[in-house]
Amino acid sequence: MNTKPKSNQMPVGSVQCDNTTLNLLKANDFVAKAIREKLPHLLVVNICSSPGSGKTTLLQETGRRLGKELNLAVLVGDPETERDAVRLKEAGLNALQIVTGGMCHIEAQMILQALDHINLEGTDILFIENVGNLLCPSAFDLGEDARVTLLASTEGDDKPKKYPRMFLTSELMLVSKADLLPYVPFSVEAAAKDAREVNPDLEVIPISTLKGDGLDEWCEWLKKQLAKKRGG
């Protein structure tokens, strides 16, 4: 699994001058390392996207499809309200809301604190549903084993080059709301090309939680990552 801190990964063509800049993310990376040590047998997946791209709906459907096979838990980040955690609990998932109080991202110390308030005994996969934002969350390692970014067909296919760091630090890009592709000016091929110019190793799966397209592939991807984490 990739254990390189997300904060250290820079887009192609950029230069980080350590001798002239203060890396304010080092403390976050230290806590992220502690989270990995605390959860050696769980697969931790950080789900990122813009607001409204379908993260919560995807997790609801993931719970329905994998809930009888694997034990799943979710830490949900939002600036306010517990609405998403309520939705996930209603879908049968073990979920806990992290209210950031207006902050545009989750930080590792929030995850570490939340671990004291959620029962993860027997859990196979812990999802972190990050705050809807393609910018700020990209720099914060949350101790995850994999980062997954949703790019909705309604957002436009130019986002990988506009927000390169998010796609650089992700292992998988899910093109969500794929059922709308016939009706919107979005090219999966163009988005995938731009994303892979930023990150050649990035996997891409178009999905529709409404129609079910790509969800079997998504679930298989998760099971494969879990097996890798456990050395299988």
Side-chain angles (χ1 to χ4, degrees):
M1 308 300 289
N2 180 23
T3 58
K4 183 178 181 181
K6 303 293 187 183
S7 61
N8 291 341
Q9 293 179 252
M10 302 295 289
V12 174
S14 63
V15 177
Q16 184 172 4
C17 302
D18 290 332
N19 60 330
T20 60
T21 60
L22 177 64
N23 187 353
L24 298 177
L25 296 172
K26 284 185 177 179
N28 185 86
D29 291 342
F30 179 82
V31 179
K33 181 175 181 291
I35 292 170
R36 289 191 174 93
E37 293 172 350
K38 190 179 182 69
L39 305 174
H41 303 299
L42 274 69
L43 177 69
V44 181
V45 181
N46 183 3
I47 308 286
C48 300
S49 81
S50 299
S53 294
K55 296 187 299 298
T56 306
T57 305
L58 173 64
L59 290 173
Q60 286 176 300
E61 188 60 30
T62 303
R64 294 186 186 103
R65 288 171 177 260
L66 290 180
K68 293 182 180 179
E69 182 178 352
L70 299 172
N71 291 321
L72 310 177
V74 188
L75 295 175
V76 191
D78 273 311
E80 299 293 344
T81 82
E82 297 187 5
R83 290 181 178 179
D84 286 352
V86 170
R87 286 175 58 189
L88 293 169
K89 288 177 182 177
E90 289 174 347
L93 287 160
N94 176 20
L96 177 69
Q97 186 78 41
I98 298 174
V99 178
T100 67
M103 288 184 63
C104 59
H105 59 274
I106 298 176
E107 297 182 5
Q109 55 89 11
M110 299 178 186
I111 299 298
L112 190 62
Q113 291 178 49
L115 293 180
D116 292 333
H117 300 278
I118 185 169
N119 182 7
L120 295 178
E121 184 177 356
T123 299
D124 297 298
I125 302 177
L126 172 63
F127 294 100
I128 300 170
E129 184 184 334
N130 218 314
V131 177
N133 187 343
L134 285 178
L135 190 60
C136 303
S138 65
F140 287 84
D141 189 335
L142 302 182
E144 70 260 31
D145 300 297
R147 179 176 291 177
V148 177
T149 295
L150 274 66
L151 177 61
S153 63
T154 51
E155 294 179 73
D157 53 26
D158 58 351
K159 298 303 179 290
K161 286 294 182 73
K162 286 187 173 184
Y163 302 92
R165 193 169 189 174
M166 180 59 79
F167 297 90
L168 173 68
T169 58
S170 295
E171 281 68 41
L172 175 65
M173 179 176 79
L174 296 176
V175 178
S176 62
K177 305 185 182 181
D179 52 290
L180 297 178
L181 285 171
Y183 312 104
V184 294
F186 185 103
S187 168
V188 175
E189 292 75 16
K193 181 178 180 293
D194 278 357
R196 285 174 173 148
E197 286 179 1
V198 172
N199 178 2
D201 298 322
L202 187 68
E203 297 183 62
V204 179
I205 304 175
I207 63 166
S208 168
T209 51
L210 182 63
K211 301 291 187 179
D213 299 341
L215 295 184
D216 287 342
E217 190 176 354
W218 156 243
C219 291
E220 287 301 316
W221 186 88
L222 288 170
K223 289 189 282 188
K224 179 181 176 182
Q225 300 306 309
L226 178 61
K228 285 169 61 177
K229 175 70 180 281
R230 293 177 171 173

